[in-house]
Amino acid sequence: MSGARSAEAGGVRRAPRPHTRRPGRRELLGFAAAGLLAYAADLALFLWLRGPAGLDPLTAKALSFVAGCSVAYAGNALGTYRHTTTSLLQYGIFFGVNIAGALVQLLCILVSHYGLGFTSPRADTVSGAGIGMALATVLRFWGTRTLVFRGEGRVGSWTG
């Protein structure tokens, strides 16, 4: 059963509900690959908007988030979860999950920049694109596999 546990009930093996399965190696690698591409887009745009474009850190993070979110959805829909169906509703849910992740990142910048007084571009990058991204990634993985691509078909990945 490819890493999924089954329940015995009267001698009949039943597969667990799809969203309760533990993530497989291919799923984690595919999600990570899509995430790395999204992270690169997010970070590059954030640095440009914060630096040469001269935007404040919260606006720069909000705009870079939209670009990263779109890259992540494309990578997951076309790669990691390509065996599931996709729809505009799924993209909306995915976007919502990523908004929750972005709020985590924005909160990290808010606390660091305005609460603790670390106002340099480097401090904003560490708090938003470092600490905030790490915390948000855990939330995004859970939301993506549980709420967006929850159907069968998590067996394939573009990474292996």
Side-chain angles (χ1 to χ4, degrees), residues 25-38:
R25 182 174 158 232
R26 294 177 119 183
E27 182 182 1
L28 288 170
L29 289 174
F31 185 84
L36 285 174
L37 291 173

Side-chain angles (χ1 to χ4, degrees), residues 29-51:
L29 289 174
F31 185 84
L36 285 174
L37 291 173
Y39 182 77
D42 186 318
L43 180 60
L45 187 57
F46 177 77
L47 291 173
W48 182 78
L49 291 172
R50 187 70 181 109

Side-chain angles (χ1 to χ4, degrees), residues 60-81:
K61 187 71 229 164
L63 293 174
S64 69
F65 153 76
V66 173
C69 181
S70 296
V71 169
Y73 182 79
N76 282 302
L78 299 173
T80 310
Y81 302 105

